Amino acid sequence: MKEVKAIIQPFKLSAVTRALQEIPGFPGMTVSDCMGFGKEKGKEGPHRVVEDLIDYIPKVRIEIMLKNEMVDTVVEAITKTAHTGNPGDGKVFVYDIEKAVRIKTLEHGEEAI
Ligand SMILES: Nc1ncnc2c1ncn2[C@@H]1O[C@H](COP(=O)(O)OP(=O)(O)OP(=O)(O)O)[C@@H](O)[C@H]1O
Ligand SMILES: [Mg+2]
């Protein structure tokens, strides 16, 4: 099991969600608002929140727990759809998942996701 975590530009969320929902067997996702900065340290655009002398730019974080064989398809869907080529497009990270439990059924592991 893996986790795909992507930080993308908020205006790309709808298109990325549609692309992911087209993947057969897509298991689900968690979406949260977040703020951050990359190499440009927040100087990439006009939508800035200034706190403590550091500019944090609003982003959206997507978290997906999925079977190993789906990782490449999901990462490609996110990167293709979220790409503009401009600074601030975001990043995708992939992690190993140790354990998952579906609370309704108490299924464990891949059965749970
Ligand atoms: N190394 C990192 N660790 C954690 N979060 C990061 C990291 N790099 C970027 N982020 C998050 O991703 C968001 C988008 O990053 P961004 O795309 O600006 O990265 P970058 O390294 O500056 O590359 P780019 O040239 O594409 O702008 C940031 O606002 C931050 O929330
Ligand atoms: Mg940047």
Side-chain angles (χ1 to χ4, degrees), residues 42-87:
K43 305 289 187 249
E44 73 194 42
H47 304 295
R48 302 187 306 192
V49 177
V50 181
E51 286 178 12
D52 299 338
L53 304 180
I54 296 176
D55 294 356
Y56 298 99
I57 296 171
K59 301 287 176 185
V60 167
R61 179 174 54 238
I62 295 172
E63 293 157 314
I64 305 160
M65 312 301 157
L66 71 186
K67 296 178 182 176
N68 294 5
E69 65 253 28
M70 207 181 274
V71 168
D72 291 345
T73 309
V74 164
V75 170
E76 190 183 326
I78 294 169
T79 50
K80 270 190 177 169
T81 313
H83 176 266
T84 69
N86 297 317

Side-chain angles (χ1 to χ4, degrees), residues 7 35-40 44 59 86-91 93:
I7 301 171
M35 296 194 296
F37 58 87
K39 292 193 179 70
E40 291 82 13
E44 73 194 42
K59 301 287 176 185
N86 297 317
D89 268 357
K91 296 195 175 162
F93 306 100

Side-chain angles (χ1 to χ4, degrees), residues 11-53:
F11 78 92
K12 284 288 191 179
L13 178 61
S14 297
V16 168
T17 301
R18 279 198 299 277
L20 290 170
Q21 286 175 330
E22 281 171 14
I23 298 170
F26 182 71
M29 63 198 264
T30 300
V31 176
S32 346
D33 291 325
C34 61
M35 296 194 296
F37 58 87
K39 292 193 179 70
E40 291 82 13
K41 298 192 172 59
K43 305 289 187 249
E44 73 194 42
H47 304 295
R48 302 187 306 192
V49 177
V50 181
E51 286 178 12
D52 299 338
L53 304 180

